Amino acid sequence: MPPRAQAAPSGRGHGRGRGHSAAAQLTGLLMSCEAAGDLLALVQQHGNACNHIHVSCALARLAKLPHGTPMYAETRAGVAALLRMAKERLLQMEARELASTLWAVSKLGVDDAAFVGAVLVAAKSKLRSFNSRALANTVWALATLSHKDAAFMRDLLVTAETKLTSFNSQELANTVWALATLGHKDAAFMRALLVAAEAKLSMFNSQNLANTVWALATVGHMDAAFIGALLVAAKSKLPSFTAQNLAITVWALATLGHKDAAFMRDLRFAAMSKLPSFNSQDLANTASALATLGHKNAAFMHALLVAAEAKLTSFNPQELASTVWALATLGHKDALFMRALLVVAEAKLSMFNSQNLANTVWALATLGHKDAAFMRALLVATEPKLTSFKAQGLANTAWALATLGDKDAAFMGALLVAAETKLPSFTPQGLANTAWALAALEVFDAVRQLPGCSGASSEHLTDDGLFSIDIAVQLPGGQKLAVEVDGPTRFLSNAPTVLNGATRLRNRLLEARGWCVVSVPVVEWQKRAAKGKQAAHEYLTSLGVCG
């Protein structure tokens, strides 16, 4: 967000007569320089003759020139000298020079907190004379420099709020972006800013629109009416959105929980042709945002995965985990893509954090995607990090292992040790899922020990792929036995021993497919299993399992 182009700053501060003419001429020379070396040489040549306006103009011009930043050895000493001159003249600078100096320092990438602090000290007493551009440039510069000063920011926003109606669309968008980047939350100011912005949304360009909705999501400021108006303004400009603009827009809507099916269809259409130019973060964020919004479209998802597969090696652990989580949440199965993703993920498992690991195993179970080699590698990577898992992650991991029929007693033991320390944090559903997982693994192990049931399999898909049976047994004579381990949610809440309607329907549909269904209530199983292996086997036999 560079300042507006100026042939020369105002003559204020140059004096009159011949002195004024010489000062103005130097300003013109500085602004016309086309090379950083020439500009710095000119400043050095005039030395103390350079006043505060000259120094401010020189910095602003330098920020626009190639090789002007201090990262280049040939200009490093000259930039340092120019900054020293600026610091000596800060108190003489007016609002425009201070804002321009701060903008220039941010564009040059100068990492000098002391200098920035000195600029803010000089600016504080002059904030009332800052116009909209100076205010917007200042907050933008601070965000670009990641320089946080809560007290100064409060003062700046007090002044800015009185002038919001004079802010143009670029200044409004840059201000909200800067506040979000700095993590500075001020709900009252944000409401005032959005009132001013809504009146000018038609003048926002695609970058302004995308940055604004991103900023609102980043600070967690939900204003449904404003978001609705923003999407109306964005609709006609979607074709001009870049890949990144499209990705951050859908991410922001998901983060804010704002659903607009019609706008999403338009965004999806605009994004389809640009998917090959999405980077790994764009692809992963788009997939997870669609999942969060519950927005399903098989054709778009297929195209997104085609683009993603070509870039999988550049995906980081977070992007890999969020992508597989999104596929599971959307119920989108693509075995070929999953195999490719898991190959890449396996090489990076050591870098997965606890949330990544929990989301990945949950997703594999939800999709019913079994890969024994990857699961072994995943559990090896997971076990040392179990103590850092949240209660929900532990519950989901236990559920996933049972759902996939992955019996690893050592890992499950470690998981239970980690879970025991966090039991107060478990939700009722988390406790139920964990209890079900343990029961399902125990029942599966017990069934396989019964005569004639050694060939039992877990999570068996019916021929039509519509049902996954907890434990399936092919009995002599061709009879098919479905053993379902049913937790509390499978029973009536006011009659905990009576199967609810959904569970009875499941049983009838399985029976219609030729299966004999046996329900093993988790609560009853726990009671019998606590009495020992024989009692557990006798209980299963009494239910008709391989009896």
Side-chain angles (χ1 to χ4, degrees), residues 6-183:
Q6 302 171 57
S10 67
R12 184 177 55 207
H14 282 316
R16 296 184 179 182
R18 184 175 296 176
H20 166 73
S21 176
Q25 184 179 19
L26 177 55
T27 299
L29 290 172
L30 290 168
M31 295 300 290
S32 64
C33 283
E34 295 295 335
D38 293 343
L39 184 146
L40 293 172
L42 189 61
V43 170
Q44 185 179 19
Q45 177 187 340
H46 288 270
N48 290 333
C50 293
N51 63 27
H52 59 287
I53 294 179
H54 295 135
V55 172
S56 174
C57 287
L59 281 168
R61 183 59 183 164
L62 187 65
K64 299 177 184 179
L65 295 176
H67 298 274
T69 67
M71 67 180 286
Y72 296 100
E74 64 268 27
T75 58
R76 188 173 298 130
V79 172
L82 184 55
L83 289 174
R84 286 194 297 272
M85 294 173 69
K87 192 170 185 179
E88 292 167 356
R89 293 161 175 75
L90 285 176
L91 294 181
Q92 287 77 51
M93 290 186 184
E94 298 297 334
R96 185 172 66 176
E97 288 86 44
L98 288 166
S100 178
T101 296
L102 197 57
W103 172 84
V105 167
S106 67
K107 290 291 287 184
L108 289 168
V110 174
D111 184 13
D112 189 335
F115 179 83
V116 174
V119 176
L120 299 188
V121 169
K124 186 172 182 179
S125 63
K126 300 175 181 176
L127 279 173
R128 289 185 179 181
S129 62
F130 276 49
N131 62 20
S132 62
R133 176 164 291 274
L135 290 163
N137 277 359
T138 298
V139 69
W140 179 90
L142 293 176
T144 302
L145 290 166
S146 299
H147 187 96
K148 297 183 180 183
D149 185 325
F152 178 83
M153 189 59 70
R154 283 194 298 271
D155 292 340
L156 183 147
L157 296 186
V158 168
T159 301
E161 190 168 350
T162 65
K163 301 180 180 183
L164 280 173
T165 54
S166 65
F167 276 54
N168 64 30
S169 57
Q170 185 69 48
E171 292 159 359
L172 289 163
N174 284 352
T175 299
V176 70
W177 172 88
L179 293 176
T181 301
L182 287 168

Side-chain angles (χ1 to χ4, degrees), residues 407 440-450 471 533 537:
K407 178 137 179 80
L441 290 170
E442 290 171 354
V443 171
F444 178 57
D445 192 44
V447 168
R448 287 170 62 90
Q449 295 176 29
L450 294 175
I471 303 165
K533 182 182 294 186
H537 288 180

Side-chain angles (χ1 to χ4, degrees), residues 265-328:
R265 284 194 296 272
D266 293 335
L267 184 146
R268 197 178 66 227
F269 182 79
M272 183 72 86
S273 63
K274 297 177 181 177
L275 284 173
S277 61
F278 277 45
N279 63 27
S280 60
Q281 184 179 26
D282 297 337
L283 292 163
N285 282 354
T286 299
S288 62
L290 293 175
T292 300
L293 292 168
H295 189 88
K296 297 182 179 182
N297 183 274
F300 181 81
M301 205 62 195
H302 174 74
L304 186 148
L305 296 187
V306 169
E309 189 167 355
K311 297 176 181 177
L312 276 176
T313 55
S314 65
F315 276 53
N316 65 31
Q318 177 65 42
E319 292 158 0
L320 291 165
S322 63
T323 299
V324 70
W325 173 87
L327 294 178

Side-chain angles (χ1 to χ4, degrees), residues 430-519:
L431 289 170
N433 284 351
T434 303
W436 174 86
L438 292 173
L441 290 170
E442 290 171 354
V443 171
F444 178 57
D445 192 44
V447 168
R448 287 170 62 90
Q449 295 176 29
L450 294 175
C453 288
S454 59
S457 61
S458 63
E459 295 307 316
H460 176 87
L461 281 178
T462 55
D463 292 340
D464 56 14
L466 296 178
F467 293 90
S468 179
I469 297 167
D470 289 346
I471 303 165
V473 185
Q474 296 285 344
L475 297 173
Q479 185 181 11
K480 300 186 295 184
L481 180 66
V483 181
E484 294 288 357
V485 182
D486 293 326
T489 58
R490 291 290 189 177
F491 297 85
L492 296 175
S493 58
N494 58 352
T497 61
V498 180
L499 293 173
N500 61 27
T503 307
R504 292 199 301 273
L505 176 61
R506 175 203 68 188
N507 292 354
R508 285 199 296 271
L509 292 173
L510 285 174
E511 288 165 356
R513 287 162 172 76
W515 292 87
C516 176
V517 183
V518 173
S519 175

Side-chain angles (χ1 to χ4, degrees), residues 222-270:
M222 179 57 180
D223 184 327
F226 178 82
I227 294 295
L230 184 147
L231 297 187
V232 169
K235 183 177 179 180
S236 63
K237 297 174 182 175
L238 281 173
S240 66
F241 273 48
T242 64
Q244 185 182 37
N245 290 341
L246 291 164
I248 64 175
T249 299
V250 68
W251 172 86
L253 294 178
T255 302
L256 290 167
H258 187 93
K259 296 184 178 183
D260 185 325
F263 179 81
M264 284 299 298
R265 284 194 296 272
D266 293 335
L267 184 146
R268 197 178 66 227
F269 182 79

Side-chain angles (χ1 to χ4, degrees), residues 319-366:
E319 292 158 0
L320 291 165
S322 63
T323 299
V324 70
W325 173 87
L327 294 178
T329 302
L330 290 168
H332 188 95
K333 296 184 177 182
D334 186 324
L336 291 176
F337 177 81
M338 281 298 296
R339 282 198 289 273
L341 183 146
L342 296 186
V343 168
V344 175
E346 187 169 352
K348 300 180 181 182
L349 281 174
S350 63
M351 296 180 284
F352 277 46
N353 63 28
S354 56
Q355 189 66 52
N356 300 154
L357 293 163
N359 283 353
T360 300
V361 70
W362 174 86
L364 292 176
T366 301

